Amino acid sequence: MAAWSCRFLLQRGPRLISPRAAAESPVQLVGCVRTVKTTTWFEEHLTEDNQEYMRKTMAEEYRRQTAEKLNPLKDEPWQRHEWTEGSRRVGLVAVKLGMAPIWTKTGEKHAVTMLQVQDCHVIKCLPREEYDGHTAALVVGGKNVSPFHRSEHYMEMFRNAGVPPKQKITTFKVSDNAIIKPGTPLYAAHFRPGQYVDVTAKSIGKGFQGVMKRWGFKGQPASHGQTKTHRRPGASGPGGDPAKVFKGKKMPGRMGNIYVTAFGLKIWRVNTKYNVLYVNGSVPGHRNCVLKIRDTVLPTRGSTLLSPPFPTYFTEDEGDLAEDLYDDDLFIHTEPSLTLT
Amino acid sequence: MAACSRRLDKFIVSLRLLRNLQLQNERFLSTSVCRWAPGNDSEPPKFIPPSKPVIIDKTQAVATLRKFLSPEFIPPRQRTNPLKFSMERKDMIRRRKILNVPEFYPGSILAVSMADPNATGKINRFVGICIQRGGKGLGATFVLRNIINQQGVEICYELYNPRIQKIEVLKLEKRLDDNLMYLRDALPEYSTVDPDMKPVPFPPTGEVPLNELKVKMRPKPWSKRWERPKFNIQGIHFDLCLVPKQMEHAQKWAQPWQEYDMLKEYDTSKLEQQILSEVQQEMSK
């Protein structure tokens, strides 16, 4: 999207004044005039009925596209390979719903985060030569979003895949035997209970923050003669020898709104009806934020025992899974109360 | 054994009579008819073991017919996807089908039996007055307070903890406030509950009785300044512990504009009705 720019119209009395002359005495902002007229928003030149029509057709188009892709194994699928030692499979893009408590069979309480996989599709496949020469990659997209506020360049790759445009797209580095045809839907059953995952998301933005909140500095005492110094950083380094402040010195600045990964989170439960994963502990990001989930890189939490679906979970392949898949240690609420004998 | 109606006390009396009078039956009669027919000495009556008494627990057996929705079902006002609340509600209903969670309010006297993780196989029973109900969804809690051996004890129980075996309401009543934390600073007689208290029967229909008790407090200082308007406590007898000048001084912290703040309004009536009908439907399945 081209950058927007505006010229502000400032008024003092009956005369309009330029912004340069306005600094000395009080002026009133009358309005602003759009000076760059190349971009438009989708409703600007449409009548109301046409806007309604555009919205309806977009919704129908999405439904048609999703319905077409529901049976990926039926329309010219790519070759599916077997799992081998050292192969990596694709991950998912999900939305953080919230947190809830769960109990184990021994009576311990744990907190879990619920992540819902909403409209996750594979957008593009980048074979090894195209990507970086070492590994292949798959571009996966998450939550559906309206096409009206996205640029043509962005829409192009979704059009090629035949899939509605997504809010978030990420690349997953994948071994050659795990590549999937673009347009395949991905479901929560791709992960199984007992498996460990890594979740990456943008942490909550805190704005410009001081050194105590951002880096955990101790600050100074509240009383005993401190003059105007309670939350300041104090010294910034050694003295005359370097005679400089080293690069990367921890100082106040913008905190949050960066990608943070939580490693080794256990999956307690998978709900196949609503595509919800119950993941142990907390996850970076606010409620309803879009996250990237993949199998753990931690060597002690590999999932060789569980044999999760490779390259991904296909509904036609495995037939009907139960609505809820639980981990062995999890207490299910339909069981009688724990007596702990 | 022939199935017959049993009138327990009459039967026991009649059994004694049987033995004393040596009633003889000419016909082979079932046990209940035995007591009327006089028999002859040639056939001594066979020993008939007394039937087990049938105990009808009138306090717990009948589910409440009042329209009561537990406060943890009402979702807080947040920007969360309603799907998350509906999934939690399903889990809560599944647990409620196993463990009967009765209707209770802060001010009711409850007895909770819970399995102890450190003493395997043993079940702890705690009786106390409910002073607070907090939390929403599966993490809902309630705090029970009692005074045992002159020591005040408060235990916070999670409603949906799988270790809880039974929750019984010994006395169902409401108080003037929703939060009875001021009982910590009140005289100990108001927090003492007899651990072997018998359940007080209450009718399943009709209003929940409101106990308009005004509690006498210990001398100040208290753990919190309960006279301040932010706590809005009706259940303390302030005239006995505070001078009118102190009450006026407390009103300095009043925030009368909060009553008119429209952004703080959260009208849950429609949501409550919807959730109540959903919960009742699911529970009856």
Side-chain angles (χ1 to χ4, degrees), chain A residues 5 13 75 80 96-97 104-105 109 153 200 207 291 323:
Chain A
S5 62
D75 41 35
R80 289 167 63 195
K96 176 173 169 178
L97 291 183
T104 56
K105 289 205 164 108
K109 180 174 160 183
H153 170 71
T200 313
L291 343 123
E323 189 190 327

Side-chain angles (χ1 to χ4, degrees), chain B residues 35-98:
Chain B
R35 55 177 181 262
W36 296 311
N40 40 7
D41 282 305
S42 56
E43 281 183 25
K46 284 191 220 161
F47 173 65
I48 306 137
S51 58
K52 285 214 173 116
V54 177
I55 301 167
I56 304 165
D57 187 14
K58 291 198 180 94
T59 49
Q60 309 288 334
V62 186
T64 176
L65 294 171
R66 278 175 282 265
K67 280 200 169 179
F68 173 70
L69 181 67
S70 219
E72 72 263 8
F73 280 104
I74 302 160
R77 190 171 68 153
Q78 284 173 345
R79 292 175 70 177
T80 328
N81 200 337
L83 172 72
K84 188 244 178 188
F85 295 129
S86 70
M87 290 184 74
E88 252 191 313
R89 239 175 284 138
K90 280 202 193 112
D91 269 334
M92 284 152 77
I93 290 170
R94 274 183 207 135
R95 176 68 185 154
R96 271 173 183 253
K97 285 189 180 157
I98 311 283

Side-chain angles (χ1 to χ4, degrees), chain A residues 178-189:
Chain A
I179 49 172
I180 305 172
K181 183 176 177 187
T184 338
L186 300 172
Y187 300 105

Side-chain angles (χ1 to χ4, degrees), chain A residues 289-301:
Chain A
C289 78
V290 195
L291 343 123
K292 171 179 173 179
I293 315 176
R294 58 147 205 252
D295 293 324
T296 330
V297 295
L298 299 177
T300 46
R301 305 269 193 256

